[in-house]
DNA sequence: CGTATTCATCGTTAAAGAGCGATAGAAGAA
DNA sequence: TTCTTCTATCGCTCTTTAACGATGAATACG
């Protein structure tokens, strides 16, 4: 389980808080194997260095993993972490939409 | 319905991408009515101006709404928007964990 | 060997974010 | 009216982010 703290949730939110990074995740989801930085760059109107930076943000957030393949670095989603974040979000939203605390705490 | 675009999702993610703002949402969820900026500030180790800024981010993201009450401004969650964002997240994560596209599209 | 590819990193610039104190305006209280 | 409370906003500083080009290291190809 190892449920996420607010700091962790905030970090993940920030990592996903850029449309280009959402695009990168979608691209990786479709071409899940052997997708390298150049592949991603070709699908985006950005310089390679910029895409590499965005991928690094996703790497640091643990949402993506890297494995070398010859001269290329291939990336793929960390579905475990995505699922973990997904349930953390559910928990967050449920907690927020719960009724306000009553005057007395229940036993 | 009016499903959210990636830009919208990214904006919401960024709005939630700070632990203080998550705290503010939790505070509003508990004291849902008549919670003003001073109330929130008293529960956080931050200056009033800083809290006001964070609330403004949540306001601009549409996650919170304001209504004046005498000399105070009261805030409460926009549960509709939170729910909308919640399902957008579910959709996002489901889409990401879906199988990679096959060589040929199905009919 | 030399020549491409690939890509992370550096250095730079411009913009955005975070935090604070001070302040002014609005609304209630005296 | 005068005083107090509440709060959004301004001005400031410091840090972070975004984007780019250039570069060097690593691997493959010839």
């Amino acid at each position: 389980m190892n449920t996420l703290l607010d700091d962790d949730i905030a970090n993940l939110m920030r990592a996903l808080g850029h449309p280009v990074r959402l695009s990168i995740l979608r691209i990786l989801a479709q071409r899940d194997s052997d997708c390298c930085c150049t592949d991603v760059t070709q699908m985006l109107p950005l310089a390679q260095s910029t895409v590499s930076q965005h991928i690094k943000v996703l790497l640091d957030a643990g949402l993506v993993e890297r494995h070398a393949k010859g001269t290329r670095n291939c990336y793929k989603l960390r579905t475990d972490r995505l699922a973990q974040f997904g349930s953390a979000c559910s928990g967050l939203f449920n907690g927020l939409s719960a009724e306000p605390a009553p005057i007395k705490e229940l036993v």
Side-chain angles (χ1 to χ4, degrees), chain A:
Chain A
M1 289 307 169
N2 197 4
T3 195
L4 299 175
L5 305 176
D6 270 6
D7 276 8
D8 304 317
I9 297 180
N11 281 335
L12 288 163
M13 291 275 188
R14 221 177 329 150
L16 296 184
H18 194 294
V20 167
R21 292 198 283 270
L22 294 180
S23 300
I24 292 175
L25 292 185
R26 292 191 195 279
I27 291 169
L28 292 183
Q30 293 207 334
R31 304 207 184 170
D32 206 23
S33 59
D34 296 344
C35 190
C36 69
C37 183
T38 306
D39 296 334
V40 177
T41 303
Q42 284 171 350
M43 307 193 64
L44 295 171
L46 291 171
Q48 176 267 326
S49 57
T50 303
V51 173
S52 185
Q53 293 270 29
H54 281 299
I55 291 177
K56 181 169 170 35
V57 174
L58 295 171
L59 270 174
D60 291 345
L63 293 171
V64 148
E65 66 188 0
R66 167 163 61 195
H67 68 279
K69 183 129 187 175
T71 169
R72 302 141 44 91
N73 278 343
C74 297
Y75 297 96
K76 69 177 201 186
L77 298 182
R78 286 198 51 186
T79 52
D80 56 333
R81 289 275 294 167
L82 283 167
Q84 185 187 35
F85 181 45
S87 51
C89 287
S90 303
L92 172 66
F93 296 138
N94 288 339
L96 291 179
S97 61
E99 287 301 307
I103 314 287
K104 266 189 165 177
E105 285 297 321
L106 295 182
V107 241

